[in-house]
């Protein structure tokens, strides 16, 4: 069930929402006043569709409480054991409602009972976490109103054409906002990285290549050096300038193997400088790393710091 909940925000942000259930009743009044209310109701309708199979088992006051708690970053409202038991019971109830016999249950057996408040808290927490990126755009009460209308099949305040128009307009605006924020963050990271590298290049032992890659030899090995077409085995630890760890083979407890020509330019160039058995520290400018787009865990225009140990050439 959690997989059904995850991605609700992503669907809205990307304007790629699943096909919706036909609406048979459209309430003309009261009208939804303003973009915030319209967006909240539309998102509620979309979320309501995704959780419709568990609708009969939900306490809506608890659902709203679960969403709000997730928005506020509160502590979990249910224990892991409660979540596991509730989720299992829900899956069995859904299967029975669909005319199926759940694994481990005899044919014709009634589904287990569930605590509707626990269901509401669990589902609400999932919804809240999914929608955290856009929570500032949402009126929670209106969202729940749209959600309930969709789940319960009652009159809705927005027909499908209106919902599609609101979804598209909202998604385009959010996308533009995200791009603007990314550009602003990238410019800040670029300036900080350039300032750091300008000072770091004067530090004792730091060497600079023509591309701008900076490195320091921590331990010099005596084996042969790899070329871009080689496959290498390394241990490494990668951080941002503020020390945030984004990747580390040391923390995973096992080295990594990869083609030296299949990684970021700073790695391809830097590791090729290392004889087997060496350990170097690299400072990689953004243009030799992940650039303006960044990647998971790495912001746009981020300067990267890597400690790399070349174990072998495969």
């Amino acid at each position: 069930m959690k997989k059904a909940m995850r991605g609700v925000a992503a669907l809205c942000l990307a304007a790629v929402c699943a096909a919706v259930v036909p609406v048979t009743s459209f309430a003309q009044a009261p009208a939804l006043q303003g973009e915030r209310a319209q967006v909240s109701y539309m998102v509620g309708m979309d979320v309501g569709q995704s959780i419709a199979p568990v609708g009969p088992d939900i306490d809506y006051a608890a659902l709203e409480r679960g969403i709000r708690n997730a928005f506020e970053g509160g502590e979990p409202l249910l224990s892991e054991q409660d979540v596991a038991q509730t989720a299992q019971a829900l899956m069995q109830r859904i299967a029975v409602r669909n005319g199926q016999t759940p694994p481990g249950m005899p044919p014709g057996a009634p589904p287990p009972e569930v605590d509707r408040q626990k269901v509401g808290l669990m589902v609400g927490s999932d919804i809240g976490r999914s929608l955290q990126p856009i929570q500032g755009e949402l009126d929670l009460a209106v969202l729940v109103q749209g959600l309930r209308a969709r789940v319960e099949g009652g009159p809705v305040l927005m027909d499908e054409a209106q919902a599609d128009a609101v979804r598209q307009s909202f998604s385009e605006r959010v996308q533009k906002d995200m791009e603007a924020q990314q550009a602003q963050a990238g410019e800040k990271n670029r300036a900080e990285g350039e300032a750091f590298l300008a000072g770091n290049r004067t530090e004792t032992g730091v060497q600079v290549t023509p591309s701008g890659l900076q490195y320091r030899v921590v331990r010099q090995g005596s084996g042969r050096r790899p070329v871009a077409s080689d496959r290498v085995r390394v241990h490494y630890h990668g951080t941002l300038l503020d020390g945030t760890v984004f990747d580390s083979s040391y923390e995973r407890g096992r080295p990594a193997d990869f083609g030296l020509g299949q990684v970021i330019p700073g790695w391809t160039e830097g590791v090729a400088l290392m004889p087997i058995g060496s350990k170097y520290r690299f400072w990689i400018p953004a243009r030799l790393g992940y650039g303006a787009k960044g990647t998971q865990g790495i912001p746009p225009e981020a300067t990267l710091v890597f400690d790399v140990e070349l174990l072998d050439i495969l």
Side-chain angles (χ1 to χ4, degrees), residues 12 32 34-45 134 137-139 142-143 158 166-167 169-171 173-174:
C12 292
L32 295 165
E35 183 189 21
R36 183 182 179 86
Q38 293 171 6
V39 167
S40 301
Y41 198 86
M42 175 273 296
V43 171
M45 289 173 63
I134 57 170
E137 305 281 351
L138 302 174
D139 182 311
V142 177
L143 184 150
M158 183 180 292
V166 171
R167 186 181 299 111
S169 175
F170 174 63
S171 299
R173 179 173 64 78
V174 169

Side-chain angles (χ1 to χ4, degrees), residues 11-69:
L11 289 175
C12 292
L13 294 177
V16 184
C17 294
V20 294
V21 178
V23 175
T24 57
S25 180
F26 171 50
Q28 294 289 344
L32 295 165
Q33 298 296 325
E35 183 189 21
R36 183 182 179 86
Q38 293 171 6
V39 167
S40 301
Y41 198 86
M42 175 273 296
V43 171
M45 289 173 63
D46 287 345
V47 174
Q49 177 183 304
S50 73
I51 67 168
V54 299
D57 301 304
I58 290 176
D59 178 275
Y60 288 99
L63 177 94
E64 184 169 346
R65 181 184 169 206
I67 298 173
R68 180 178 292 107
N69 181 70

Side-chain angles (χ1 to χ4, degrees), residues 239-257:
T239 71
L240 305 177
L241 288 179
D242 65 3
T244 300
V245 178
F246 56 80
D247 195 10
S248 175
S249 67
Y250 290 108
E251 292 185 358
R252 290 192 295 274
R254 62 182 185 277
D257 300 346

Side-chain angles (χ1 to χ4, degrees), residues 207-287:
Q207 302 182 59
V208 185
T209 71
S211 71
L213 175 70
Q214 298 184 8
Y215 69 96
R216 175 187 287 141
V217 177
V218 178
R219 182 183 69 242
Q220 187 74 320
S222 57
R224 69 184 181 94
R225 290 181 172 87
V227 296
S229 59
D230 283 331
R231 188 169 180 81
V232 297
R233 176 167 294 159
V234 299
H235 254 319
Y236 65 91
H237 185 74
T239 71
L240 305 177
L241 288 179
D242 65 3
T244 300
V245 178
F246 56 80
D247 195 10
S248 175
S249 67
Y250 290 108
E251 292 185 358
R252 290 192 295 274
R254 62 182 185 277
D257 300 346
F258 55 82
L260 193 54
Q262 299 174 338
V263 290
I264 57 175
W267 263 73
T268 302
E269 178 184 359
V271 176
L273 300 172
M274 303 175 66
I276 294 174
S278 297
K279 184 174 184 179
Y280 284 18
R281 170 166 287 192
F282 295 105
W283 293 272
I284 301 179
R287 66 180 178 278

Side-chain angles (χ1 to χ4, degrees), residues 8-10 13 71 127-138 170 174 178 181:
V8 172
L13 294 177
F71 279 0
I127 294 171
R129 285 192 294 268
S130 294
L131 296 178
Q132 273 182 333
I134 57 170
Q135 63 173 292
E137 305 281 351
L138 302 174
F170 174 63
V174 169
M178 290 174 62
Q181 291 171 9

